[in-house]
Amino acid sequence: MKNIPNVFGSMVFNDAVMKERLPKETWAALKRTMKSGRSLDKSIAGVVANAMKDWAIEKGATHFTHWFQPMTGVTAEKHDSFISPTGDGAVIMEFSGKELVKGEPDASSFPSGGLRATFEARGYTAWDPTAYAFIKDNTLCIPTVFCSYGGEALDKKTPLLRSMEAINRQALRILKLFGTEAGRVTTTVGPEQEYFLIDRELYKQREDLVLCGRTLFGAKPPKGQEMEDHYFGAIKPRVSAFMQDLNEELWKLGILAKTEHNEVAPAQHELAPIFTNTNTATDHNQLTMEIMKRTAQKHGLACLLHEKPFAGVNGSGKHNNWSISTDTGINLLEPGDSPRENAQFLLFLTAVIKAVDEYQDLLRVSVANAGNDHRLGANEAPPAIVSMFLGDELTEILAAIENDRPYSQKDKEEMKVGVHTLPRFPKDSTDRNRTSPFAFTGNKFEFRMLGSTFSISGPNIILNTIVAEELSQFADALESAEDFNSALHALIQKTIREHKRIIFNGNNYSPEWVEEAGKRGLLNLRTTADALPAFIADKNIALFTKHKIFTATEMHSRYEILLENYCKTLNIEAQTMTDMIRKKILPAVSAYERELCETALRKKDLALPAGQETKTAAAISKFADCLYEQTERLEEALLKAKELDDTKAQADYYRDSILPLMAEARSSADMLELRTGEKYWPFPTYEKLLFYV
Ligand code: ADP
Ligand code: MG
């Protein structure tokens, strides 16, 4: 292993490199922009570009790219080399300020949800100086935002930066009221990433894994995860070699890969980085997913990021650990030592409580896709119902404030905000509940509903914006108050009273909770098709336009993209399914049937009993006929789906008609797998995929 501190960040144009390579004034101007989020003085772009180019070429780079995050959920790049002809047949290596600041990728093939008519297909990318440039594959990657010529956001980064600005603005108003010093407030995120690793040769033999990222067939193997022997188990040498290589690649890019362990399902693992600001954490998580896939390939493995690659064992999620901090080093979701600090903490805490309650629908939308529909509510992940875990101690404190009573038995005094000091909550006492979708873990919230493939930008845009909105309402109320302390107490008390229904410390997997949540009036949006329309509800359009995160047009376009994505995903899955049935499964079982029937006939000639062969052939014949009919019905339904021209109607049709038909076909195919000789079955089984790395 190389010297880690030397390797760490060696491919990043970070503060240290900038300080060393930029003239003092340029460095100071750039730093100001990075800190304040304000736009950069154009004149210095050329100087920065030149320093970046020299540094990149020394590191072996030949190309540069504007690296951006379109609505596909993955990152995009178009490489240009640094060469520039000198007119005498030679070239020099050039990179101008203009090239750094703005790019014009042909954008007509990225999803825009109707925003960018093809006749004006050019979008543009603009340098985001608040994120570091880095080198990947001999290419200098410049983080950028991606917009249409009309200025509408076509990516996931622009609204994320806008939402960070919104929460900064509103949180500073609150801090001013408390007299807390801060120049800037940012949200921080540490995303824990789950994934599966399987053998690449086996992976390539399954069209469903290659095309859909998940298995569409597969009988349950004799062993699953019931022995609970994989979670935190010893890491196998091949996986360990992968992890070592992965860490090194991530460290080079300045990604703070920290914790790795085996997860619950066989062949499942997790990687957690140390948290950083939300913008950087988003870039880093996108890079982490990409590098995981690439490193797996190098090791003869395939990395599966799908939310539910295998039925019957746990799927993969992503835990979005989220908090709010100041540039003066205060974590605003951590109780402090003085009554004033605690009052401030309680105000931020109740802002989050109110936000989660009022915008349950948006949080649900932010984690909705076809893959995650297999997890949420399936006793392995939080339910589709959004609620919050605060732990007994904090819940008890809130109840004391709400009801004007003492906090503990010993303590006779009523709990008054701004007067009392809160006890410290050790992480252990707040984090016992692993079933909650949104858990307070001592100094941050852990949003656990994200699927493993998600870009974390969506959920964080929502989190930042909904909390910004509540903070702005609180600031409005408190700025005009005559007596700050009593207004603060009253505000916190009222907020607890009105929104405590969202707090639930019990088992979120239990059927009783579904019933109880219904009584409390909490939403239960079970599928993506159920959840998505909430995105364009009037109250949500009002929210996003007020804080200038999205225009109404941008919201409608995103809604359209998300719905289309759901339909397209299910269409690809269903088509892959019928293809595998017709071309692989049915021919394979016919071949096995023929062998059984021929054997039975010969046995009969010899007057030998052929009960086993005859009965097996009969069962296979029955399930195969059934599967054939189901496939015909699925194909007919797919044609019907295509005829629907309203995207919402189409999404509903996929949910109500296509998915049940797929489930039926799968169950017949799995029955066939259990009855067919191993050497006849046309692709690797669950046992091979899950236990042989
Ligand atoms: P778990 O118990 O859920 O497995 P871990 O300790 O593995 O938790 O992960 C916790 C994650 O939370 C880490 O990525 C860590 O960096 C992150 N985290 C810690 N403090 C903060 C914070 N203030 N803001 C955002 N994320 C944080
Ligand atoms: Mg976690």
Side-chain angles (χ1 to χ4, degrees):
M1 173 58 70
K2 302 190 187 108
N3 180 338
I4 297 170
N6 282 351
V7 168
F8 190 84
S10 58
M11 290 299 181
V12 185
F13 195 72
N14 57 20
D15 280 348
V17 182
M18 287 190 237
K19 198 169 174 193
E20 185 194 314
R21 292 183 174 249
L22 292 175
K24 241 195 179 114
E25 319 78 71
T26 315
W27 151 247
L30 188 56
K31 208 58 208 160
R32 269 197 304 280
T33 297
M34 292 183 79
K35 268 211 170 126
S36 69
R38 260 178 240 116
S39 61
L40 185 78
D41 175 3
K42 291 257 160 34
S43 65
I44 71 163
V47 183
V48 178
N50 206 42
M52 266 187 190
K53 179 206 68 184
D54 290 344
W55 168 80
I57 289 174
E58 279 168 37
K59 298 270 177 193
T62 51
H63 289 67
F64 70 92
T65 180
H66 276 197
W67 186 75
F68 59 105
Q69 304 180 16
M71 292 301 294
T72 53
V74 290
T75 55
E77 42 196 80
K78 176 185 141 226
H79 298 188
D80 282 299
S81 70
F82 290 121
I83 60 167
S84 169
T86 49
D88 55 1
V91 293
I92 51 166
M93 300 297 256
E94 257 183 9
F95 183 48
S96 68
K98 200 167 146 257
E99 286 171 308
L100 167 65
V101 171
K102 194 168 173 187
E104 297 187 8
D106 177 358
S108 53
S109 301
F110 290 109
S112 80
L115 263 190
R116 194 181 3 71
T118 20
F119 60 83
E120 46 151 9
R122 278 143 63 114
Y124 70 91
T125 51
W127 178 32
D128 165 19
T130 65
Y132 294 138
F134 56 90
I135 297 171
K136 180 168 69 76
D137 295 332
N138 297 329
T139 301
L140 171 67
C141 299
I142 296 141
T144 54
V145 296
F146 178 42
C147 297
S148 77
Y149 258 96
E152 288 112 346
L154 294 175
D155 67 347
K156 301 196 170 212
K157 198 54 164 308
T158 309
L160 181 69
L161 295 175
R162 291 173 183 162
S163 76
M164 289 177 74
E165 193 46 46
I167 196 166
N168 167 55
R169 212 176 308 129
Q170 303 305 334
L172 285 177
R173 286 175 69 194
I174 299 283
L175 293 182
K176 194 163 165 211
L177 290 167
F178 281 92
T180 305
E181 260 182 58
R184 189 161 177 86
V185 171
T186 38
T187 52
T188 51
V189 171
E192 299 163 57
Q193 177 73 47
E194 292 182 338
Y195 60 98
F196 279 82
L197 277 184
I198 62 170
D199 187 273
R200 189 160 197 90
E201 285 312 308
L202 299 177
Y203 162 84
K204 286 200 295 205
Q205 291 168 40
R206 295 203 48 143
E207 205 177 326
D208 48 4
L209 283 176
V210 173
L211 297 183
C212 310
R214 76 174 180 107
T215 56
L216 300 168
F217 306 100
K220 194 182 171 317
K223 181 180 172 185
Q225 64 189 40
E226 59 275 70
M227 300 299 284
E228 293 169 346
D229 52 356
H230 192 255
Y231 189 57
F232 281 26
I235 298 172
K236 292 179 187 168
R238 206 170 156 200
V239 173
S240 174
F242 158 85
M243 285 179 172
Q244 209 172 325
D245 201 359
L246 173 65
N247 281 335
E248 197 171 313
E249 290 303 314
L250 296 178
W251 289 336
K252 277 188 206 162
L253 291 171
I255 298 173
L256 294 155
K258 170 87 174 163
T259 312
E260 54 202 17
H261 58 78
N262 286 352
E263 260 302 327
V264 173
Q268 193 185 28
H269 312 278
E270 180 185 295
L271 180 138
I274 297 171
F275 71 97
T276 169
N277 75 70
T278 307
N279 184 11
T280 309
T282 305
D283 284 1
H284 283 183
N285 185 249
Q286 294 298 120
L287 284 169
T288 300
M289 292 193 284
E290 180 186 329
I291 292 168
M292 275 179 168
K293 292 201 153 190
R294 199 188 324 155
T295 308
Q297 193 160 356
K298 253 171 51 191
H299 289 255
L301 298 164
C303 172
L304 307 179
L305 289 172
H306 194 280
E307 282 78 16
K308 191 72 180 175
F310 304 101
V313 297
N314 276 11
S316 298
K318 179 140 54 191
H319 290 172
N320 191 82
N321 294 277
W322 177 90
S323 194
I324 320 169
S325 336
T326 66
D327 57 354
T328 45
I330 310 163
N331 178 348
L332 297 168
L333 291 179
E334 184 161 330
D337 294 319
S338 68
R340 187 192 60 83
E341 285 166 335
N342 288 158
Q344 184 177 289
F345 160 74
L346 284 171
L347 190 67
F348 278 96
L349 180 78
T350 42
V352 180
I353 294 173
K354 183 166 184 280
V356 174
D357 186 30
E358 288 181 343
Y359 298 102
Q360 298 159 45
D361 53 349
L362 280 179
L363 287 169
R364 175 66 186 90
V365 168
S366 81
V367 295
N369 76 5
N372 220 15
D373 280 358
H374 298 286
R375 286 178 70 240
L376 298 178
N379 280 351
E380 60 170 81
I385 305 165
V386 176
S387 72
M388 267 169 116
F389 171 87
L390 291 184
D392 293 339
E393 204 161 9
L394 196 48
T395 309
E396 189 46 44
I397 290 168
L398 296 187
I401 296 170
E402 182 196 348
N403 300 308
D404 286 322
R405 57 176 169 72
Y407 161 55
S408 68
Q409 245 107 40
K410 288 174 270 150
D411 185 9
K412 297 272 176 291
E413 245 182 300
E414 281 172 16
M415 187 78 192
K416 277 266 177 261
V417 175
V419 178
H420 291 85
T421 313
L422 303 180
R424 285 270 168 187
F425 318 103
K427 194 181 170 199
D428 294 350
S429 78
T430 52
D431 197 21
R432 261 183 247 125
N433 187 319
R434 309 296 288 181
T435 67
S436 175
F438 201 91
F440 183 66
T441 55
N443 58 4
K444 61 185 183 299
F445 278 96
E446 183 169 359
F447 185 25
R448 299 197 176 117
M449 292 171 89
L450 284 73
S452 43
T453 55
F454 278 70
S455 157
I456 61 170
S457 59
N460 286 298
I461 291 167
I462 307 263
L463 265 172
N464 293 344
T465 310
I466 63 180
V467 176
E469 167 59 20
E470 307 306 352
L471 293 175
S472 88
Q473 289 182 20
F474 285 4
D476 289 346
L478 295 172
E479 279 163 357
S480 57
E482 276 174 24
D483 174 8
F484 178 70
N485 271 334
S486 58
L488 178 68
H489 183 84
L491 178 64
I492 290 180
Q493 199 172 39
K494 174 169 177 275
T495 311
I496 297 169
R497 196 165 291 149
E498 288 172 1
H499 300 285
K500 65 179 176 191
R501 64 169 187 168
I502 198 73
I503 300 166
F504 177 62
N505 294 330
N507 177 7
N508 284 259
Y509 296 174
S510 71
E512 293 81 40
W513 168 235
V514 178
E515 201 178 310
E516 163 70 16
K519 281 192 204 136
R520 293 191 191 184
L522 301 183
L523 293 171
N524 187 1
L525 302 168
R526 304 181 55 163
T527 68
T528 299
D530 299 320
L532 290 182
F535 190 63
I536 48 164
D538 290 343
K539 79 173 205 336
N540 295 334
I541 293 188
L543 167 80
F544 284 116
T545 49
K546 170 178 167 188
H547 294 278
K548 305 200 165 25
I549 312 298
F550 292 122
T551 61
T553 321
E554 285 171 342
M555 291 186 71
H556 280 279
S557 93
R558 266 155 220 257
Y559 169 65
E560 196 62 28
I561 291 172
L562 292 168
L563 270 180
E564 271 179 14
N565 184 287
Y566 176 76
C567 296
K568 284 179 187 166
T569 304
L570 293 180
N571 185 51
I572 292 170
E573 288 186 355
Q575 283 184 332
T576 306
M577 195 166 210
T578 58
D579 202 59
M580 286 173 81
I581 293 170
R582 287 198 190 280
K583 295 193 184 138
K584 295 236 162 88
I585 298 179
L586 291 177
V589 297
S590 280
Y592 185 47
E593 271 180 298
R594 192 178 61 226
E595 154 121 20
L596 289 169
C597 293
E598 277 172 9
T599 311
L601 277 177
R602 284 198 207 153
K603 276 184 160 183
K604 277 192 187 135
D605 285 347
L606 297 169
L608 288 171
Q612 181 271 114
E613 288 82 359
T614 322
K615 282 183 196 149
T616 307
I620 289 181
S621 186
K622 187 183 92 192
F623 286 119
D625 283 353
C626 200
L627 181 59
Y628 177 84
E629 296 301 331
Q630 287 160 336
T631 309
E632 296 269 297
R633 281 205 294 279
L634 181 54
E635 281 169 348
E636 270 167 42
L638 282 173
L639 288 178
K640 244 197 212 143
K642 286 232 166 73
E643 283 162 19
L644 299 167
D645 43 10
D646 175 63
T647 330
K648 175 69 175 81
Q650 211 176 39
D652 290 344
Y653 185 77
Y654 274 101
R655 177 197 58 202
D656 298 333
S657 302
I658 305 284
L659 278 171
L661 288 170
M662 286 172 68
E664 283 173 19
R666 177 186 182 138
S667 120
S668 300
D670 291 355
M671 292 306 253
L672 286 166
E673 183 196 316
L674 291 171
R675 284 164 180 74
T676 304
E678 185 177 280
K679 72 173 201 230
Y680 288 87
W681 195 250
F683 37 75
T685 60
Y686 270 27
E687 184 190 325
K688 289 268 164 5
L689 294 169
L690 289 170
F691 292 97
Y692 283 73
V693 160

